[in-house]
Amino acid sequence: MSRPRLLFIPVAMDQQLLRGRVSATEPVLRSRLLPRISFQSLLVLTALSAVAIAVVYAADQGGPYATAAAVGLFFALCMFVCSALIFLLSWAVSFLPRVAGGTALAVGIALALSRLLGIPLGVLSLLQETIWLINFQIIGWFLLLYPFGTPDDADAASPFADDQLPPQIFAPREPSN
């Protein structure tokens, strides 16, 4: 007489039950949404933050070397942020040229309207100059009309597209050689 199967147990687990080996834990699946951060890395980050705060506090109290170190830390932080923004901009232009072109056009039109209406933008008022407005329009229209990048049908020319092996350059050798 065969053993009745339970509906809620997967087939692989049912096979393990038949062999007598059952794992009490579920397999660990790596999360793709949240990074895995160790406790040690959090302690290192806390220690580095404490040193940075102490240097900035000493600079506020008038220490000349601490002031120089605080300016150096601020410069490094600004360079990191600027590099990240430039990378994101170049990534957006290379992978999403039409979206980047539309965004450049929208920003150019918004800046032109703010210039015509006399809305002050403070630090960004440099972008209201004519050369910037023309650049936003030219780059935006170029990316909309002539997007560049890899063509969508690039995979069609691949020898692996039809699940076949690529043609061999050298004939296979005989196993007797």
Side-chain angles (χ1 to χ4, degrees):
M1 184 168 130
S2 69
R3 189 174 142 208
R5 277 196 160 158
L6 300 175
L7 295 177
F8 60 89
I9 297 177
V11 175
M13 194 170 198
D14 194 14
Q15 296 296 330
Q16 289 178 350
L17 281 172
L18 290 175
R19 293 186 198 130
R21 293 180 280 168
V22 177
S23 174
T25 61
E26 294 182 12
V28 177
L29 299 175
R30 291 189 59 153
S31 172
R32 294 183 181 178
L33 297 177
L34 298 174
R36 298 183 76 165
I37 299 173
S38 67
F39 186 68
Q40 182 180 9
S41 65
L42 287 177
L43 287 176
V44 168
L45 181 65
T46 304
L48 292 175
S49 298
V51 169
I53 290 171
V55 167
V56 170
Y57 178 76
D60 187 44
Q61 298 300 317
Y65 291 119
T67 303
V71 168
L73 287 174
F74 181 70
F75 177 76
L77 179 68
C78 287
M79 285 292 95
F80 176 76
V81 169
C82 288
S83 298
L85 289 176
I86 290 171
F87 170 77
L88 288 175
L89 178 67
S90 64
W91 178 85
V93 168
S94 65
F95 284 106
L96 306 167
R98 291 189 191 270
V99 174
T103 304
L105 280 175
V107 168
I109 291 171
L111 288 171
L113 284 176
S114 67
R115 178 180 172 182
L116 288 175
L117 296 175
I119 300 172
L121 295 180
V123 177
L124 297 177
S125 63
L126 172 73
L127 297 177
Q128 290 178 328
E129 292 183 13
T130 307
I131 189 69
W132 284 98
L133 297 176
I134 292 172
N135 283 332
F136 276 119
Q137 295 300 312
I138 290 173
I139 292 170
W141 282 112
F142 178 77
L143 289 175
L144 275 177
L145 298 176
Y146 303 107
F148 55 88
T150 59
D152 294 335
D153 59 346
D155 292 336
S158 171
F160 299 104
D162 298 327
D163 293 331
Q164 297 179 5
L165 292 174
Q168 295 182 355
I169 297 173
F170 299 109
R173 293 189 298 174
E174 294 292 326
S176 61
N177 290 345

